[in-house]
Amino acid sequence: MFVRVLRNNPRAAALLAVLAAANLAAWAWALASFHHSTALMAASLLAWCYGLRHAVDADHIAAIDNVTRKMMQQGKRPFGVGAWFSLGHSSIVVLASIAIAATAAAFQSKMDWFHDVGGAIGTAVSACFLLAMALVNLVILRGVWRSFRRLKRGKPLAEAETDFNGGGMMSWLFRSTFRLIGKSWHMYLVGFLFGLGFDTATEIGVLGISAASASSGMSIWSILVFPALFASGMALVDTLDNVIMVGAYGWAFNKPQRKIYYNMTITGTSVVVALFIGGLEALGLLADRFDLHTGAWRWVNMLNDNLGNAGFAVVGLFIVCWGISMLNYRLKGYDALPVIH
């Protein structure tokens, strides 16, 4: 499926080629700057791995999936969602690394306050965005479910019922949210705001490497190798994730029956994931602000502490739901259902 998507979409193939070249260029930069030091090359590898790892954080997966699915519902092929999100997200890391290098010792002494404020803002933005997208997809799910029931009963479908155009009170309430992300590049701002959460372990790791390098007298040019490796690795994985999602949704949208059925299945999964991750982040923020650590809050804190690993579970959940959906679709013979307009 992945190869077919690239073959049929030269823009996606070109974007991945550019990102692969960016990764090679970042490593060439690292080799030119640190070829004399095994320790610095090891730090470079660590920064790059941080970027690869950060791309599968649960909030990245949920945000990219929800926006990709929403834009494809509008008839678009949004291959740039993951890349723009990563670019915005990594901008914060690059700017902070420059600030650390420019103000080394003084900035490090204020780092706890900076992480505290930035973490609160970033987590709040992430939680609110994911919850808003969950509500948007919940509205979509309601419309798709009604269309699927009509399809199973053999009733005629209006052309609009194979797409979600919205209607009624719920559409009016969430119209502004639907317009929030209309183009792939709009994800730059979302990624930038997500990046304010400096409590993310991988981001702190890259900043820590930059801080250590600054304190040892390294030039700003050399220090920027670390965020460049982080950003290039993260953008590559986020874009791969985006392309795979577009391919999966593209298969589902080939036939009206498939589009309605698979939309219903995967939209439900997207709603659950976005509500869970966004709700957990919101509860974790409340627990942190009000120092809540007893009873059910202990579980909230424990889940938030391990939220970085939840991204792998989210990817696994989408794969399982995709597999079950395809199997059930074929076993039930939904491809043979007549679509009457």
Side-chain angles (χ1 to χ4, degrees):
M1 180 187 71
F2 180 72
V3 175
R4 186 170 64 250
V5 171
L6 295 183
R7 189 185 303 123
N8 296 334
N9 297 276
R11 285 192 305 114
L15 177 59
L16 286 173
V18 168
L19 290 174
N23 275 264
L24 291 175
W27 274 110
W29 186 5
L31 187 62
S33 300
F34 306 140
H35 63 275
H36 59 281
S37 172
T38 304
L40 289 175
M41 286 302 296
S44 299
L45 178 61
L46 186 61
W48 187 65
C49 290
Y50 278 156
L52 299 177
R53 169 65 185 79
H54 193 48
V56 291
D57 273 3
D59 57 347
H60 278 233
I61 300 294
I64 292 170
D65 172 76
N66 275 269
V67 172
T68 299
R69 207 208 62 75
K70 170 187 173 291
M71 290 180 66
M72 287 202 70
Q73 191 77 31
Q74 298 169 340
K76 300 174 182 177
R77 305 285 282 179
F79 289 108
V81 168
W84 281 108
F85 181 85
S86 290
L87 186 61
H89 203 63
S90 56
S91 294
I92 287 288
V93 179
V94 173
L95 291 173
S97 296
I98 293 173
I100 288 173
T103 58
F107 194 81
Q108 288 180 64
S109 67
K110 303 293 184 181
M111 190 67 80
D112 288 342
W113 173 86
F114 194 67
H115 284 166
D116 188 50
V117 174
I121 295 172
T123 303
V125 168
S126 174
C128 290
F129 180 80
L130 290 177
L131 291 173
M133 292 308 299
L135 291 175
V136 167
N137 279 314
L138 196 58
V139 177
I140 293 175
L141 179 61
R142 181 169 170 261
V144 174
W145 169 245
R146 287 178 173 177
S147 297
F148 184 67
R149 289 178 63 187
R150 290 179 62 83
L151 184 67
K152 288 182 68 175
R153 292 171 183 169
K155 294 184 177 180
L157 296 178
E159 190 69 33
E161 287 190 85
T162 58
D163 294 298
F164 181 79
N165 296 317
M169 178 63 73
M170 293 299 281
S171 176
W172 180 81
L173 286 173
F174 294 111
R175 191 174 291 122
S176 60
T177 310
F178 274 101
R179 289 199 299 260
L180 180 65
I181 304 294
K183 298 181 183 296
S184 293
W185 67 266
H186 292 169
M187 284 296 280
Y188 177 85
L189 180 59
V190 175
F192 188 89
L193 294 174
F194 269 45
L196 291 173
F198 280 102
D199 52 337
T200 304
T202 47
E203 289 176 325
I204 293 177
V206 174
L207 295 178
I209 293 171
S210 299
S213 302
S215 62
S216 64
M218 187 180 293
S219 69
I220 293 180
W221 177 255
S222 297
I223 288 171
L224 286 178
V225 170
F226 301 122
L229 286 166
F230 176 87
S232 60
M234 180 172 62
L236 180 62
V237 174
D238 273 340
T239 302
L240 284 170
D241 175 35
N242 182 194
V243 170
I244 290 171
M245 287 175 180
V246 170
Y249 291 135
W251 173 89
F253 288 6
N254 276 342
K255 293 186 176 182
Q257 306 97 308
R258 225 181 259 176
K259 184 173 185 177
I260 293 172
Y261 173 78
Y262 187 70
N263 262 357
M264 182 179 62
T265 304
I266 210 65
T267 301
T269 307
S270 297
V271 168
V272 170
V273 169
L275 284 176
F276 177 73
I277 301 300
L280 194 59
E281 287 184 334
L283 290 173
L285 186 59
L286 289 174
D288 185 55
R289 296 300 103 181
F290 297 101
D291 198 26
L292 304 171
H293 300 288
T294 58
W297 292 105
R298 184 179 303 165
W299 289 96
V300 169
N301 290 322
M302 183 184 70
L303 289 171
N304 269 285
D305 288 341
N306 293 282
L307 197 58
N309 296 320
F312 295 104
V314 170
V315 172
L317 178 62
F318 276 114
I319 291 172
V320 169
C321 288
W322 171 260
I324 293 174
S325 177
M326 286 185 65
L327 182 62
N328 186 61
Y329 183 87
R330 295 184 186 282
L331 289 176
K332 294 290 182 66
Y334 289 140
D335 248 351
L337 287 175
V339 181
I340 306 170
H341 293 296

